[in-house]
Amino acid sequence: MSDTTQILNANFTPRIFSGIQPSGNLTLGNYLGALKRFAQKQDEGIETIYCLVDMHAITVWQDPDALRRQTREAAAAFIASGVDPAKSILFNQSQVSAHAELAWLLNCVARLGWMNRMTQFKDKAGKNAEKASLGLYAYPALMAADILTYHTTMVPVGEDQKQHVELTRDIAAKFNHDYGVEFFPAPEPLIDGPATRVMSLRDGSKKMSKSDPSDASRINLTDDADTIAKKFRKARTDAEPLPETIEGLSERPEARNLVNIYAALSEQTSAQVVTEFAGKGFGDFKPALADLAVAKLAPISDEMKRLMSDVTEIDRILGKGADRAEAIARPVVEKTYDIMGMVRSR
Ligand code: ATP
Ligand code: LTN
């Protein structure tokens, strides 16, 4: 953390915020890169706020019934992974209008040149960027609003979101500079552990993603034991046995990915895993990985199923979370309007 960030952030109560899009089945990548860490953070004595970012999800087409189901299922995945709605604030974004309001205000602070550098937009818009929604382009300013409307200081995310959190810092700094205030903190991305970038099981150069068209590329939190075993068995690898040290994995992205997944699931470092399996082929390693993944994920998918049998209860939890979130976010947005010169007379 730089000195200026430290001095600025010292004026703010430490607070953690993060979000996940309810844009499909949550994956092992989401679990290791986000959910598992969210649950750990809630026991560190810092307020934790977790959001199902449904307004981000609609930047690409979502069938309305599917979006409703995915939002509830994602909420169930949070709870089943250990996020406790009594300890953390858990809600869906569209129920707290402060996010959309602040996003507009920050759209007027963010610069086109900054947005044009965002790699997630380039990846998602693909070759036909003319057909992408305006929302997909503006997405990072909404994400900045999500973070800043809680005066968040720390944002646990996977590696792919680092650039967006840095943009959030730039937006906060420009706002503070332009209006001569120290109103927004400079949130820090928290990216730690062996699985901050879980890769696709079919292509070691692409991240595992819930919206990849190939279901074989990912482990879904709802996959059964047979499906998990089959997907790992078919995962792309090379023909070499595992090396003696992790340096031996540097040119072997698929092998490195499976080792990192094993490490994260077993709470070890990747170096420890390599030591344990040195000289073993994938014929040994893949079944061990599948058994471990099933042991860790089966209780989560069972709990998700149980929670999904009562969606009224899930909706109640999200509504209550939204009330608590609103109580923090509303005054920040009101103050932002005021700083920017909007007359507020009711
Ligand atoms: P989509 O494919 O719809 O873009 P996604 O699977 O990339 O979705 P997000 O909702 O965009 O998931 O991400 C939620 C959180 O999970 C973020 O913190 C993100 O960094 C993290 N995450 C997503 N994919 C991975 C991955 N493969 N490895 C580690 N973390 C990940
Ligand atoms: N952009 C993120 C999801 C996201 C988020 C956030 C993460 C939206 N708002 C605020 C952290 C904090 C993604 O695509 N994974």
Side-chain angles (χ1 to χ4, degrees):
M1 205 190 293
S2 75
D3 286 354
T4 41
T5 300
Q6 221 160 4
I7 292 164
L8 174 66
N9 286 357
N11 300 328
F12 295 89
T13 315
R15 193 176 273 148
I16 287 175
F17 179 94
S18 197
I20 293 193
Q21 300 185 61
S23 48
N25 286 319
L26 295 199
T27 70
L28 181 61
N30 297 133
Y31 175 67
L32 295 176
L35 289 176
K36 184 168 186 259
R37 296 166 59 229
F38 294 173
Q40 288 161 346
K41 297 281 172 223
Q42 89 194 333
D43 295 317
E44 293 179 4
I46 301 173
E47 185 168 31
T48 42
I49 307 177
Y50 298 125
C51 185
L52 304 162
V53 289
D54 46 10
M55 298 204 299
H56 278 94
I58 58 163
T59 57
V60 300
W61 168 253
Q62 303 293 336
D63 172 78
D65 286 334
L67 181 60
R68 267 185 281 274
R69 183 179 45 73
Q70 287 159 194
T71 302
R72 290 170 176 141
E73 208 164 73
F78 270 72
I79 299 167
S81 303
V83 171
D84 177 351
K87 291 186 188 165
S88 296
I89 297 181
L90 177 63
F91 70 108
N92 58 313
Q93 187 183 28
S94 61
Q95 295 211 69
V96 180
S97 60
H99 293 245
E101 292 176 58
L102 188 62
W104 180 259
L105 304 181
L106 299 184
N107 274 339
C108 301
V109 176
R111 304 290 93 182
L112 284 183
W114 301 354
M115 308 308 273
N116 287 337
R117 286 198 289 274
M118 295 297 115
T119 56
Q120 180 171 301
F121 175 76
K122 290 180 204 162
D123 291 346
K124 289 205 173 182
K127 289 200 182 72
N128 211 347
E130 294 278 311
K131 289 247 167 82
S133 72
L134 181 55
L136 189 66
Y137 186 69
Y139 175 119
L142 176 59
M143 176 159 163
D146 299 339
I147 295 169
L148 295 174
T149 199
Y150 298 95
H151 277 177
T152 301
T153 56
M154 284 168 285
V155 188
V157 278
E159 182 65 44
D160 60 303
Q161 294 304 311
K162 187 167 183 235
Q163 191 184 37
H164 287 160
V165 181
E166 281 165 358
L167 176 85
T168 301
R169 293 165 63 89
D170 290 341
I171 293 174
K174 182 165 166 57
F175 181 95
N176 287 347
H177 173 268
D178 289 355
Y179 292 98
V181 290
E182 288 194 348
F183 183 60
F184 289 122
E188 296 275 340
L190 295 182
I191 302 171
D192 45 43
T196 54
R197 188 169 172 82
V198 177
M199 307 310 281
S200 156
L201 300 180
R202 308 302 299 159
D203 176 350
S205 68
K206 265 174 48 186
K207 100 178 165 100
M208 183 181 286
S209 160
K210 62 175 119 70
S211 53
D212 191 310
S214 159
D215 190 61
S217 71
R218 62 175 165 266
I219 304 287
N220 302 305
L221 292 185
T222 49
D223 283 345
D224 61 26
D226 288 348
T227 311
I228 293 176
K230 191 162 134 218
K231 285 179 176 174
F232 278 125
R233 198 165 56 241
K234 293 199 165 172
R236 214 174 114 183
T237 40
D238 51 43
E240 300 293 311
L242 286 167
E244 303 284 326
T245 62
I246 41 168
E247 287 72 36
L249 291 173
S250 60
E251 303 294 317
R252 300 172 61 187
E254 285 89 6
R256 189 172 63 228
N257 186 39
L258 297 187
V259 167
N260 288 346
I261 293 173
Y262 193 102
L265 285 171
S266 62
E267 319 273 346
Q268 298 181 81
T269 63
S270 302
Q272 286 169 318
V273 176
V274 167
T275 310
E276 186 184 337
F277 287 93
K280 296 249 170 74
F282 287 103
D284 290 322
F285 185 66
K286 283 178 169 179
L289 175 58
D291 286 349
L292 175 64
V294 168
K296 297 287 175 183
L297 298 185
I300 297 177
S301 68
D302 289 350
E303 180 63 0
M304 280 175 70
K305 267 196 215 110
R306 193 189 67 77
L307 292 163
M308 282 300 282
S309 67
D310 186 0
V311 291
T312 320
E313 175 60 10
I314 293 181
D315 290 3
R316 192 194 63 79
I317 290 171
L318 293 176
K320 189 147 180 273
D323 282 344
R324 291 168 66 199
E326 170 96 18
I328 303 170
R330 192 76 241 159
V332 174
V333 178
E334 287 303 326
K335 182 70 188 166
T336 313
Y337 282 126
D338 179 48
I339 291 171
M340 294 178 93
M342 311 276 176
V343 174
R344 314 295 286 162
S345 57
R346 64 175 193 98

